Structures are given as structure tokens and as C-alpha cells.
């Protein structure tokens, strides 16, 4: 008898292996995308820190985009206009940005809120960088 094809078992095993490899690939890709989004937010916050120092040297105070920041506050357009002279430095696809003064006009905290999540990244005028995945438990240094 001449065997010129694959058996059903061989085809099922091949499809199962392809499915497993695809699942692993999708998980790795999702993690990579999440890390890239977070890196984009931390770069934005570092840019805010540098721009705030320049703003303070010119005006004697730090810029404030909002009196109180929350996950629903996204002042990216105002920050781009007032701190970055209208350049689109802050990308708003994934994170929303907000800057509030803490105790007075010589202290501030800039926040980056992940869209549809409780995750938040912050930076202060003393360059203190913090991260929270749930909005309540904080880690220093992103």
C-alpha cells in the first residue's frame, strides 16, 4: 500500500503545536506592548520634569495644569501648549497626564494615568519617581 499523505493524527498534532506556539507568542507580544507603553509614559514624565525646571527658572514657580489630578484628568494638550511650546511631546494614546502643585507653587507632582486602569506613574519636583499598579501600593523608581 502506498502512503502519500498525512494521517489525521499527524495533522492534529501539527495544529496543536502551532496553537501552543501562537499562544506563547501572543503573550510575549502583549507584554512587550505594555512595557513600551509604560516606557513612553516615563519618558513623558521625564520631559515634564526637565520642562518644569526651565519654566521655574523663567517664571519663579512651577506650572500647574490642574488643582487636583485623578485618573479622569487628562491635561496633555494644555501641558504640550504651556510647557512644550505647542510641540506634541506627550502622546495621549495610552496615558493621560496631569500636573498639580503639592503644598505650594514651588512643589509639584506630575502624574501619568493608564487609560481604563488604576495604574499610575508619578514624578515630583525632587525627581522622585513612583509607580502604582493599583493606585494604592507604591514602588519607588519606575
Amino acid at each position: 500500500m502506498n502512503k502519500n499523505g498525512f494521517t489525521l493524527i499527524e495533522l492534529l498534532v501539527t495544529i496543536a503545536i502551532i496553537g501552543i506556539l501562537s499562544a506563547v507568542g501572543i503573550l510575549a507580544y502583549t507584554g512587550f506592548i505594555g512595557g513600551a507603553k509604560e516606557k513612553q509614559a516615563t519618558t513623558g514624565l521625564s520631559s515634564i520634569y526637565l520642562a518644569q525646571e526651565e519654566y521655574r527658572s523663567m517664571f519663579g514657580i512651577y506650572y500647574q495644569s490642574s488643582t487636583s489630578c485623578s485618573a479622569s484628568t487628562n491635561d496633555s494638550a494644555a501641558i504640550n501648549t504651556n510647557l512644550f511650546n505647542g510641540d506634541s511631546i506627550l502622546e495621549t494614546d495610552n496615558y493621560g497626564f496631569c500636573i498639580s502643585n503639592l503644598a505650594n507653587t514651588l512643589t509639584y507632582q506630575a502624574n501619568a494615568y493608564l487609560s481604563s486602569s488604576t495604574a499610575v506613574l508619578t514624578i515630583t519636583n525632587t525627581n522622585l519617581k513612583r509607580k502604582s499598579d493599583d493606585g494604592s501600593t507604591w514602588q519607588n523608581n519606575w
Side-chain angles (χ1 to χ4, degrees), residues 44-128:
L45 287 173
S46 294
S47 296
I48 288 173
Y49 174 78
L50 295 173
Q52 282 282 55
E53 291 306 314
E54 182 180 355
Y55 190 92
R56 187 177 64 86
S57 70
M58 292 188 320
F59 301 107
I61 61 172
Y62 287 115
Y63 171 74
Q64 172 180 325
S65 69
S66 182
T67 54
S68 65
C69 294
S70 68
S72 62
T73 310
N74 186 356
D75 295 333
S76 300
I79 295 168
N80 280 333
T81 300
N82 296 308
L83 281 182
F84 301 116
N85 298 320
D87 294 336
S88 294
I89 302 298
L90 302 178
E91 298 292 330
T92 60
D93 297 338
N94 306 303
Y95 280 83
F97 293 87
C98 179
I99 303 170
S100 64
N101 290 341
L102 296 175
N104 54 49
T105 57
L106 297 178
T107 61
Y108 74 89
Q109 178 172 303
N111 300 327
Y113 297 98
L114 181 60
S115 302
S116 68
S117 172
T118 56
V120 61
L121 302 164
T122 68
I123 192 168
T124 66
N125 58 291
T126 60
N127 204 19
L128 173 63

